[in-house]
Amino acid sequence: MKIQAKAAKLGGHIQVPGSKSHTIRALIFSSIAEGTSHIRNPLGGADCVSSSKAVPLFGAKVDISNPKDWVVEGAGKNAHLPSDVVNVGDSGSLLYFMSPVAATFEGWTVFTGDESIRTRPVLHVVDALKQMGAEAYISRPEKNAPPLIIKGPVKDGSTIVTDGRLSQYISGIMMAASRLNGTTNIELTDPKETPFLNMTRLWLEEMGVKLEISEDYKHIKVHGPVQMKAFDKVIPSDWEAVAFPLVAALITESEITIDNVDTSGSQGDMAIVDVLKELGANIEIDENTKALTVKKSRLSAEHLPNKELHVNLSGYPDAICALAVAGCFTEGSIVIEDIGVCRKKETDRIEVMQKELEKLGATIETGSDWFKVTGHSKKNADGSVNSAWNLHGGEVESYDDHRVAMSLACLGLALPEGQKIIVKDAECCAVSFPDFYKTMNGINAGFTEI
């Protein structure tokens, strides 16, 4: 599917789906809990649907027929080795979360997925599981990627030393450790994406698991075993999804309200609000109504040294796509740092965002773990038209990466009249934001399928 995006002025109210990160965790914890859980306001995206199909292999029963209330009958004490190959689809979270959990059972488990997943790195998982006493192999010796083959069980009371640059497999080890006797020690030499480790910690604590975590997340202790109980939980809105209408409103100089945002602090991606405010974005969050209001703004780094805003994105690297687009409409530069992990996502997001934005006239520089975009505001500080702003339309690739597709489609909304962007394979946004284009059209985006 191709989506066309052209100049638009946004307005009105919009609500984004539930959090993918929370939904997948809810499915996993409910599947190994005793009793029947209700997951309300779940994200119905492809990764979450893949998770709903995978957890029954471990003994749970899942009913997702009601899109607003998923029901999971947990396997509890009867949880078992997966009854089939675990196909995670395109979900890296599911792969990295469930592989350590599968290793707590005696026997062999095979993890595979779609073409994209079969390029995702897993040697770090293999190494960690071997430290825990499991056998773990990749099926293709020349590839650091699934299919991944595991033989459990892991040992009780293990100590794992690993870098932790990818948070998801650390979360998986923490989940698995809650099933083991004694204390599992996790030593991280270079932890990244720590807000997601904190999200897992909050879930585990809510499920009755005791943990000890140092402030720098380099030392994690998980005490088990804990027999988890069923729950009834509302999934909060997804801050990773909030980023797209938020940035779209700012670069189109529009005013919108995003309803029911998550103000709990459990999602590190909320930090994008502070980043954008530092560039002059007029954003207000009402703690009582949970409404985020974006007002007409001019983005600029002119007040900063060398007209550059340096942003460490190690805690929420998925924001790179939306923030890179915002940078194209910022007077000055945004330097996004400590994002080496972005090269190991659905795509190499550093490389593909540089390639596609340069097609549209953007000025981009990159390194192994950084991304710099130098842009211009469409208007000068005095309100006059900025002749230095020179982006144009074109046809761009999504690389089947949902965040790439959504960010480039939003960029098209801020082009001059007569210009347009066509995003190829645009349907991939369903991974994290089903009906993205339809939902955005509700605030006058005007996306059209061609």
Side-chain angles (χ1 to χ4, degrees), residues 72-95:
V72 180
E73 184 180 330
K77 296 176 183 177
N78 296 318
H80 54 67
L81 190 75
S83 55
D84 199 353
V85 171
V86 182
N87 189 318
V88 303
D90 191 29
S91 177
S93 296
L94 182 59
L95 169 68

Side-chain angles (χ1 to χ4, degrees), residues 106-332:
E106 184 173 357
W108 294 91
T109 303
V110 178
F111 284 87
T112 189
D114 67 6
E115 184 178 0
S116 174
I117 277 293
R118 296 195 305 275
T119 66
R120 301 286 284 271
V122 290
L123 282 177
H124 56 295
V125 181
V126 168
D127 177 69
L129 292 179
K130 286 181 176 179
Q131 290 185 55
M132 297 177 75
E135 295 183 47
Y137 308 93
I138 53 176
S139 66
R140 299 170 292 169
E142 76 283 4
K143 295 285 187 181
N144 174 16
L148 171 64
I149 305 167
I150 298 167
K151 185 178 187 295
V154 293
K155 297 177 181 178
D156 296 323
S158 299
T159 295
I160 303 98
V161 180
T162 185
D163 58 44
R165 293 175 185 172
L166 289 169
S167 69
Q168 292 162 319
Y169 77 107
I170 305 303
S171 286
I173 294 170
M174 293 164 68
M175 294 172 185
S178 71
R179 298 177 42 79
L180 304 175
N181 291 307
T183 300
T184 300
N185 297 282
I186 307 168
E187 301 292 318
L188 305 181
T189 58
D190 190 18
K192 304 293 184 185
E193 302 179 309
T194 54
F196 292 99
L197 295 181
N198 185 56
M199 183 187 293
T200 301
R201 176 186 69 82
L202 293 172
W203 266 100
L204 286 167
E205 289 178 341
E206 191 171 334
M207 301 302 291
V209 179
K210 293 183 179 180
L211 305 94
E212 300 167 43
I213 301 181
S214 63
E215 188 174 345
D216 59 7
Y217 279 84
K218 289 186 174 181
H219 312 285
I220 301 173
K221 295 180 181 291
V222 184
H223 304 286
V226 173
Q227 183 53 66
M228 300 177 182
K229 301 298 182 183
F231 54 84
D232 189 322
K233 188 175 180 68
V234 177
I235 300 300
S237 57
D238 193 344
W239 268 101
E240 293 173 353
V242 167
F244 297 104
L246 170 57
V247 166
L250 290 171
I251 64 177
T252 58
E253 300 178 12
S254 301
E255 296 192 6
I256 67 168
T257 297
I258 306 174
D259 294 319
N260 298 317
V261 298
D262 177 19
T263 60
S264 69
S266 66
Q267 300 182 60
D269 299 79
M270 183 179 179
I272 194 173
V273 171
D274 292 330
V275 173
L276 293 170
K277 281 185 173 181
E278 194 165 356
L279 294 171
N282 189 346
I283 304 169
E284 297 176 358
I285 298 178
D286 189 317
E287 293 281 350
N288 295 320
T289 65
K290 309 299 181 185
L292 180 152
T293 301
V294 187
K295 297 184 178 180
K296 189 174 180 181
S297 306
R298 176 180 183 269
L299 302 180
S300 174
E302 293 168 292
H303 59 292
L304 299 170
N306 299 318
K307 298 183 179 180
E308 292 183 349
L309 174 65
H310 288 254
V311 183
N312 188 308
L313 224 60
S314 64
Y316 51 110
D318 286 337
I320 179 178
C321 299
L323 198 54
V325 166
C328 294
F329 297 83
T330 298
E331 192 66 35

Side-chain angles (χ1 to χ4, degrees), residues 321-343:
C321 299
L323 198 54
V325 166
C328 294
F329 297 83
T330 298
E331 192 66 35
S333 299
I334 300 178
V335 185
I336 305 171
E337 300 170 328
D338 206 355
I339 52 169
V341 69
C342 289
R343 295 193 180 277

